Amino acid sequence: MNNKPVYILGIESSCDETSASVTKNGIVCSNIISTQDVHLKYGGVVPELASRAHQQQIIPVVDAALKEAGITTGDLSAVAFTRGPGLIGALLVGCSFAKSLSLALDIPLIEVNHMQAHIIGNFASRENEQKLYPTFPFLCLTVSGGHTQLVLVESHLKMKIIGQTIDDAAGEAFDKIAKMLKLPYPGGPEVDKHAQTGNPNRFKFPISDIGGFDFSFSGLKTSVLYFLQKETKENPDFIQENIADLCASIQHTIIKTLMKKLKLAASEHNIKTIAISGGVSANKGIRNALHEEVNVSDWNVFIPNFEYCTDNAGMISLYGYYKYLAKEFCDLSISPVARYPF
Ligand code: KG4
Ligand code: ZN
């Protein structure tokens, strides 16, 4: 019998984080994340600069991931990479690197859908960590900078989108509104920080109500814009003087919008195992709102550790591990895709 451990190297380069991770038999040994600060002064990610920064960072980041895991390339069983969705120039860097490594080491190549990998972040843990994993089937709310999806997860590799945003993603709403509030990019964590000391009921903003399990955030964005225009005309310091209450009220509205559809889907699908994933799942308000439902709705709630919420290669490596077990490999003709439906 072959008892050799399965070591998967995961590579993530879809946006502005260059990340590499090693998992051993589905347990995370390393998860190195290099966040590109070159975009800070532009107030958003500049695709061309992201590609260049990935090119510079990828080798040192992979090297650090192997070192921290205590292995060399010769120990790797396969290499997994983010194929999409994401910025095409950024994805090309990770894809080309993974293809070269697979060819050089003669090991299988595994392509990963970044949004599905976010969900798999719920199964990520380190050795000796007592982590409980969601049982199938479960519902996952995936909230990131580019996507907002309600996903019915039937197995590690079988997932179905049952609802999604028809306009802005939740993270995008956080970031765009934060910009109106003159907060630095990325705005989500900034709004979260200021919201801690604010009154969530001070200002009222609309909660969208579109059909089914879909979401909409463009109405909220417009309503905040008009509200701020009106208030700053009367008092130019309105934003600075009320930043905590503004952030708390806006965050409260976004969370209410998300929770409303999540509760509807859970009740209609008769599912009580609920998970969350994606960058916005780092938000303290949404984490608290989910925990409240444990008592109110009798939910079993699963939230990834912080390091697996925002973009990271740990989730890519882990998803690669499940694909490795299912022998779902790809060949060297593969290329990245900016849009990548399930
Ligand atoms: O998943 P992610 O790292 O990248 C994408 O795949 O998009 O998500 C990034 C998004 C950004 O919009 C960022 O503002 C948001 O996640 N985010 C947060 C928090 N941390 C990150 N939003 C609200 N509260 C946070 N604590
Ligand atoms: Zn992401």
Side-chain angles (χ1 to χ4, degrees), residues 162-198:
I162 58 167
Q164 56 195 319
T165 182
I166 58 159
D167 40 56
D168 291 345
E172 198 176 354
F174 267 108
D175 295 340
K176 285 181 176 167
I177 292 172
K179 207 167 190 174
M180 295 177 201
L181 298 174
K182 318 243 181 300
L183 295 172
Y185 181 88
E190 292 288 324
V191 173
D192 192 1
K193 191 176 78 193
H194 288 288
Q196 313 282 316
T197 52

Side-chain angles (χ1 to χ4, degrees), residues 14 17 114-115 118 143-146 171-172 174-175 186-189 192 251 278-280 282-284 309-311:
S14 65
E17 261 95 24
H114 178 93
M115 298 314 297
H118 266 303
V143 269
S144 75
E172 198 176 354
F174 267 108
D175 295 340
D192 192 1
Q251 179 166 301
V280 180
N283 183 273
K284 293 189 190 65
C309 287
T310 45
D311 288 349

Side-chain angles (χ1 to χ4, degrees), residues 85-161:
L87 303 169
I88 199 72
L91 291 164
L92 273 164
V93 178
C95 175
S96 303
F97 183 89
K99 282 163 83 166
S100 312
L101 202 64
S102 150
L103 181 68
L105 299 173
D106 193 23
I107 54 173
L109 179 66
I110 300 169
E111 57 95 19
V112 169
N113 179 311
H114 178 93
M115 298 314 297
Q116 290 178 310
H118 266 303
I119 296 173
I120 292 299
N122 277 287
F123 296 90
S125 65
R126 302 265 176 167
E127 206 178 351
N128 300 325
E129 187 186 332
Q130 300 293 318
K131 174 106 179 125
L132 293 175
Y133 303 138
T135 49
F136 301 110
F138 66 89
L139 265 182
C140 188
L141 173 68
T142 306
V143 269
S144 75
H147 296 78
T148 296
Q149 299 170 334
L150 259 176
V151 183
L152 181 61
V153 188
E154 291 175 62
S155 73
H156 291 117
L157 303 181
K158 197 166 170 220
M159 306 176 185
K160 193 168 110 195
I161 297 173

Side-chain angles (χ1 to χ4, degrees), residues 211-259:
F213 304 136
D214 286 339
F215 304 88
S216 167
F217 290 101
S218 63
L220 169 65
K221 194 179 59 184
T222 314
S223 136
V224 173
L225 178 69
Y226 289 159
F227 174 73
L228 293 177
Q229 280 174 348
K230 183 174 143 279
E231 295 295 333
T232 49
K233 209 180 247 174
E234 287 163 23
N235 171 13
D237 296 327
F238 177 78
I239 294 176
Q240 293 91 310
E241 286 171 8
N242 297 284
I243 190 72
D245 289 348
L246 280 166
C247 287
S249 302
I250 291 159
Q251 179 166 301
H252 179 70
T253 311
I254 295 176
I255 293 171
K256 276 211 133 178
T257 309
L258 292 169
M259 290 301 290

